[in-house]
Amino acid sequence: MIRYAATIFLSAFLLFQVQPMVARFILPWFGGTSLVWTTCMLFFQVVLVLGYSYSHLITRRLVPHQQWLLHTFLLLVALMLLPVRPEADWKPADGNFPTTRILILLSACIGLPFFLLSTTGPLIQAWQSKTHPHRSPFRLFALSNAGSLLALLSYPFIFERFFSLDAQSATWSLAFAGFAALACFSGWQYRSLTQLAVENRERALAAQHAREDAEAPPPSWPRIFQWLVLTMIPSVLLLATTNLMTQEVGSIPFLWILPLSLYLLSFIICFEHPRWYFRPLFFALLFLSATFSAFLLEAGPEATLVAQIVGYSLACFASAMCCHGELSRLKPSYEHLTLFYLLVAIGGALGGIFVAIVAPRIFVNFYEFQLGLIAALVFSIFAYGYHVRGSDKKNRMGHAKLIGYATTLFFGLISVWIVSGSLFSVWLGDHAKSVISKTRNEYGTLTVKNYTDWRKLYNGRIEHGFQANDELQRMVPTSYYGIESGLGVAIDFLQNRDESAAAPLEFGAIGLGVGTICGWGRPQDRIRFYEINRAVQLTAEEHFYYLSETPAKVEIVIGDARVQLERELLAGDQRKFDVLVADAFSSDSIPIHLLTLESFRLYKQRLTPRGVIAVHTSNRFLELANVAKRLAEEIGMQSVIVDHSAGDNPFYNSSTWVLVTNNQAFLNDAQLTSASSDWPDERYSAFWTDDYASIVPLVQWSLKWDWFKELISEKFERPEGDE
């Protein structure tokens, strides 16, 4: 029994330890976006289905000796594929088909080891049900989820913090070898039972199963449907919640791991013992968190970071608790154990497929979070009623059960109405008169809105550039690129006051937006944009004029900027930039791999002696300026911060730029000196590398509720209308 528990615990730990580790390896290759984690989760869920299918088939079709031989052979093959570390050859040449490329990469690099880890839970539980028929295998399921949860929680706080990625890979590979030995030993002991003992146990099990099946017949189609739906819905909400949080803050392991940890915690609570799932508590939590999430979605970027993390995480957890709680009360007899786990895995994979593949192709916005909440409310209440009705011997509800269910139904309908209202509000916004273009793909949503004076681009819910509609003013650099911004001060110096001011200026821009920097271009200048999302290029070319009307020569390179800069160096491209602009946010999410020591060393290689690296550090939640300052010091360059307030000028937005350079003439320039600002408090400081990057020291935590008061005030005091 102990060997079974140890094997399952170690396999679950390794299973969920490898997920964030491999995602961290490939994160810089695909733009540092939440796309990487969503696709990784999809891969893991699909492979989990394959692993559970394997366990179901071999326990049904093969005798113990054959099961052990096959499993041992596959484990030996997997050991020959170690260590699990994606090689640099897998780096994409451009930003096209990212989901497909990630799935192929993961299949080749970690497919077989992950597959074998995924088989362990149902396989070992099936073995235990035959060797220890009087012990419930569902406790091993809870133990498995506990191992998974420990792996997830330990990764950002221990492994990511104290181990390099290479060390993580080596440690994981060594632990996998230990798991393989333990799994082989467990299988050998299982098959070593004498044929007589097997026959005796089979007879006892057959008698026991006959008694169980008399009380609990094979699962009906309605029950099988509920197994699928009650696992699919939490999976949808898991990925939708992760998308919401990583797109607003940063695609970092902590914000991947928090929703997944809560998701696993729901399995532990619901399957450890029936008493832990207390319906009144968790349904009340679901109603409250769903309602609060609707307000958060309505508030959008104005809601505080704390409110968003807590609100969305609670909604994810409460939905998973209610769905998995009802699922645990629909468990089958042991005879159908592997079928149950297989359908649980299929339901999870269907949720992942819906969010990662289907939703970006059928929805123009992120509707799946609200749809997931509505589905969780509807189907968990339906499953509650199904169970209560089926548990009554007379097939009728008693008064107490009827009152409890009626109360749950009443408050559930209110929550559904509120969340549906939030969804309808988003839909109305997407179809407002001002919206002239709406695009969604794996990288997010792009919205173009046209007003009387301005045309604006929104990435997610954050404005990412605008242009004046007036022909005489539409080439004026706007938003964060104005003359008084940090970037504007740098460009103005190089074009007008530098000793080489008349010479051509080479611009490198990480992130295209609407192409605003083209407003600074002169006939002799060249601008090369690096943009991972081709939809941004198409939008900028079709709906804005900066790219088409600038006198400068413009190039657009599709793909992750850092990967492309490295490729150009290897290919012998000697172009160096006078201004290298790092402004590649996805919504307000920071692509951390563009603010690491390794990236800054690369930027310095591509810089002319007079050149300036301009890092846009404006962010609602994170104080990023000191990160750029420390990186500049590490690569032997000086830095200045320019914190510009736009005031009432409609052409500009307030911005914070960190200018990194060794151009002493620029550093001594009077205009830069007068524009420069004091550095933020040193407590908001971090040193980021590819191996370790924590946002915790940079977070500006706020518990203010002004956003909520303003939202309520707007709802009750001002009629709604299009902007």
Side-chain angles (χ1 to χ4, degrees):
M1 183 64 181
I2 293 178
R3 65 180 178 274
Y4 290 153
T7 306
I8 277 186
F9 185 86
L10 181 57
S11 70
F13 184 88
L14 293 174
L15 191 72
F16 280 82
Q17 185 80 187
V18 75
Q19 294 185 32
M21 181 183 76
V22 173
R24 282 281 284 112
F25 267 116
I26 67 175
L27 189 65
W29 303 352
F30 295 91
T33 66
S34 60
L35 159 74
V36 173
W37 181 245
T38 302
T39 308
C40 286
M41 280 297 299
L42 171 63
F43 171 81
F44 298 138
Q45 289 172 320
V46 171
V47 175
L48 202 64
V49 172
L50 298 178
Y52 282 19
S53 300
Y54 165 90
S55 300
H56 179 65
L57 289 174
I58 70 168
T59 55
R60 295 279 178 153
R61 301 293 179 88
L62 303 181
V63 298
H65 178 71
Q66 293 171 328
Q67 294 178 35
W68 175 72
L69 284 177
L70 175 60
H71 208 61
T72 300
F73 170 75
L74 292 176
L75 285 167
L76 291 174
V77 174
L79 287 173
M80 291 188 288
L81 300 177
L82 299 179
V84 289
R85 191 189 195 291
E87 298 298 332
D89 294 342
W90 286 100
K91 289 184 180 181
D94 52 46
N96 297 328
F97 311 111
T99 300
T100 303
R101 285 174 167 171
I102 293 173
L103 291 175
I104 294 173
L105 183 159
L106 294 174
S107 299
C109 296
I110 64 167
L112 184 58
F114 190 88
F115 167 78
L116 291 170
L117 288 170
S118 70
T119 67
T120 306
L123 185 61
I124 294 294
Q125 289 180 60
W127 288 353
Q128 183 202 271
S129 68
K130 294 181 179 179
T131 59
H132 299 77
H134 301 296
R135 297 190 179 183
S136 170
F138 291 108
R139 285 207 158 184
L140 288 180
F141 184 61
L143 178 66
S144 172
N145 284 289
S148 303
L149 181 61
L150 179 63
L152 288 173
L153 295 178
S154 64
Y155 185 81
F157 299 109
I158 298 177
F159 289 93
E160 186 192 23
R161 184 168 185 176
F162 298 111
F163 294 86
S164 68
L165 282 172
D166 287 336
Q168 291 175 39
S169 174
T171 303
W172 189 92
S173 300
L174 185 62
F176 182 85
F179 154 75
L182 193 56
C184 287
F185 178 67
S186 297
W188 179 80
Q189 286 200 323
Y190 171 65
R191 56 79 67 187
S192 295
L193 294 171
T194 64
Q195 188 63 35
L196 179 61
V198 171
E199 291 175 356
N200 290 338
R201 292 182 188 279
E202 291 295 339
R203 290 193 193 99
L205 283 173
Q208 178 187 351
H209 291 159
R211 292 193 301 270
E212 290 176 349
D213 292 341
E215 299 174 0
S220 62
W221 285 110
R223 176 167 291 207
I224 289 175
F225 173 75
Q226 289 183 76
W227 290 350
L228 287 171
V229 172
L230 291 174
T231 49
M232 178 180 175
I233 293 170
S235 176
V236 168
L237 279 166
L238 165 64
L239 294 181
T241 302
T242 306
N243 281 342
L244 274 176
M245 294 201 293
T246 54
Q247 287 168 6
E248 294 303 317
V249 183
S251 190
I252 56 173
F254 174 72
L255 292 180
W256 304 339
I257 286 169
L258 177 60
L260 184 54
S261 298
L262 295 172
Y263 175 83
L264 291 174
L265 182 61
S266 71
F267 271 121
I268 296 171
I269 294 173
C270 295
F271 282 85
E272 167 59 23
H273 196 283
R275 65 174 176 269
W276 295 117
Y277 172 56
F278 183 56
R279 276 198 184 107
L281 172 63
F282 291 110
F283 270 104
L285 182 61
L286 175 58
F287 300 154
L288 291 173
S289 60
T291 301
F292 184 58
S293 295
F295 283 106
L296 283 173
L297 291 165
E298 189 75 14
E302 302 305 319
T304 63
L305 176 63
V306 173
Q308 291 192 53
I309 291 178
V310 172
Y312 296 140
S313 297
L314 278 179
C316 178
F317 175 67
S319 300
M321 277 301 307
C322 290
C323 290
H324 292 156
E326 297 304 322
L327 176 71
S328 70
R329 299 191 176 188
L330 295 169
K331 296 191 300 287
S333 62
Y334 297 164
E335 178 69 21
H336 307 288
L337 184 67
T338 53
L339 174 63
F340 173 72
Y341 287 133
L342 175 58
L343 290 171
V344 166
I346 290 174
L350 289 175
I353 291 170
F354 177 76
V355 174
I357 297 178
V358 177
R361 288 162 176 78
I362 65 173
F363 299 144
V364 296
N365 209 331
F366 290 99
Y367 301 147
E368 50 265 35
F369 182 77
Q370 294 100 316
L371 290 173
L373 278 180
I374 293 170
L377 289 161
V378 171
F379 282 97
S380 60
I381 293 173
F382 170 80
Y384 175 15
Y386 178 88
H387 178 82
V388 170
R389 184 176 178 84
S391 66
D392 191 281
K393 292 182 179 179
K394 296 181 180 179
N395 206 30
R396 295 179 181 176
M397 297 183 187
H399 290 296
K401 293 179 180 178
L402 180 60
I403 293 172
Y405 183 69
T407 303
T408 302
L409 183 60
F410 173 74
F411 286 106
L413 290 174
I414 293 176
S415 297
V416 169
W417 177 70
I418 293 173
V419 177
S420 299
S422 169
L423 178 60
F424 185 62
S425 177
V426 174
W427 185 87
L428 284 179
D430 292 334
H431 294 81
K433 293 180 180 179
S434 59
V435 176
I436 60 174
S437 174
K438 188 81 179 182
T439 306
R440 180 180 177 183
N441 60 13
E442 293 96 330
Y443 294 107
T445 62
L446 298 173
T447 307
V448 180
K449 293 186 177 183
N450 192 53
Y451 305 108
T452 303
D453 298 322
W454 310 100
R455 181 167 292 187
K456 299 186 176 184
L457 173 67
Y458 293 85
N459 191 326
R461 295 183 289 183
I462 305 299
E463 183 183 291
H464 269 232
F466 61 92
Q467 188 170 33
N469 283 330
D470 180 44
E471 290 188 19
L472 298 178
Q473 295 181 305
R474 66 188 184 193
M475 289 306 293
V476 174
T478 58
S479 64
Y480 311 115
Y481 295 79
I483 183 66
E484 295 180 0
S485 69
L487 178 64
V489 171
I491 296 174
D492 183 54
F493 172 82
L494 293 172
Q495 288 184 340
N496 298 306
R497 297 187 300 282
D498 185 65
E499 60 182 14
S500 303
L505 203 60
E506 293 281 354
F507 290 90
I510 301 175
L512 172 60
V514 301
T516 312
I517 200 171
C518 290
W520 286 99
R522 303 170 301 179
Q524 67 266 38
D525 297 335
R526 292 198 299 177
I527 304 172
R528 178 181 288 180
F529 289 100
Y530 297 91
E531 174 57 54
I532 194 169
N533 187 358
R534 187 174 294 278
V536 173
Q537 177 188 356
L538 297 176
T539 301
E541 290 175 343
E542 182 177 354
H543 298 288
F544 297 89
Y545 296 94
Y546 283 118
L547 294 175
S548 60
E549 297 189 0
T550 181
K553 302 176 183 65
V554 176
E555 299 174 73
I556 300 176
V557 179
I558 297 298
D560 176 73
R562 185 168 152 186
V563 172
Q564 299 306 321
L565 287 167
E566 291 171 347
R567 286 182 181 276
E568 290 169 358
L569 276 179
L570 292 174
D573 189 335
Q574 300 299 315
R575 181 186 299 192
K576 293 182 181 291
F577 300 108
D578 299 298
V579 180
L580 183 55
V581 183
D583 182 14
F585 306 124
S586 175
S587 188
D588 235 15
S589 175
I590 302 301
I592 288 176
H593 71 293
L594 298 177
L595 286 174
T596 63
L597 176 61
E598 292 81 359
S599 63
F600 265 55
R601 285 172 175 165
L602 177 62
Y603 300 158
K604 185 178 181 180
Q605 285 183 275
R606 301 300 303 271
L607 210 63
T608 63
R610 68 169 180 159
V612 178
I613 305 170
V615 185
H616 186 199
T617 62
S618 305
N619 191 269
R620 292 173 295 142
F621 304 131
L622 306 178
E623 187 59 77
L624 296 166
N626 287 331
V627 177
K629 178 184 178 183
R630 290 191 61 182
L631 293 173
E633 293 170 353
E634 186 67 21
I635 63 173
M637 299 186 73
Q638 300 181 62
S639 57
V640 178
I641 183 173
V642 177
D643 197 353
H644 170 243
S645 176
D648 296 328
N649 193 322
F651 278 87
Y652 308 131
N653 293 330
S654 298
S655 63
T656 301
W657 289 88
V658 174
L659 307 176
V660 179
T661 185
N662 279 334
N663 185 335
Q664 289 301 319
F666 175 53
L667 291 170
N668 295 330
D669 182 64
Q671 290 192 24
L672 176 62
T673 302
S674 62
S676 62
S677 313
D678 294 331
W679 290 97
D681 193 319
E682 281 297 323
R683 63 179 177 170
Y684 297 113
S685 184
F687 184 69
W688 286 351
T689 68
D690 285 350
D691 284 335
Y692 175 65
S694 173
I695 68 165
V696 174
L698 311 177
V699 176
Q700 302 179 47
W701 301 105
S702 174
L703 298 176
K704 295 180 180 179
W705 288 89
D706 296 347
W707 64 271
F708 189 74
K709 295 176 183 177
E710 292 176 5
L711 177 64
I712 298 299
S713 175
E714 289 178 2
K715 287 293 181 184
F716 286 96
E717 295 181 11
R718 191 189 66 177
E720 294 185 2
D722 192 15
E723 291 182 71

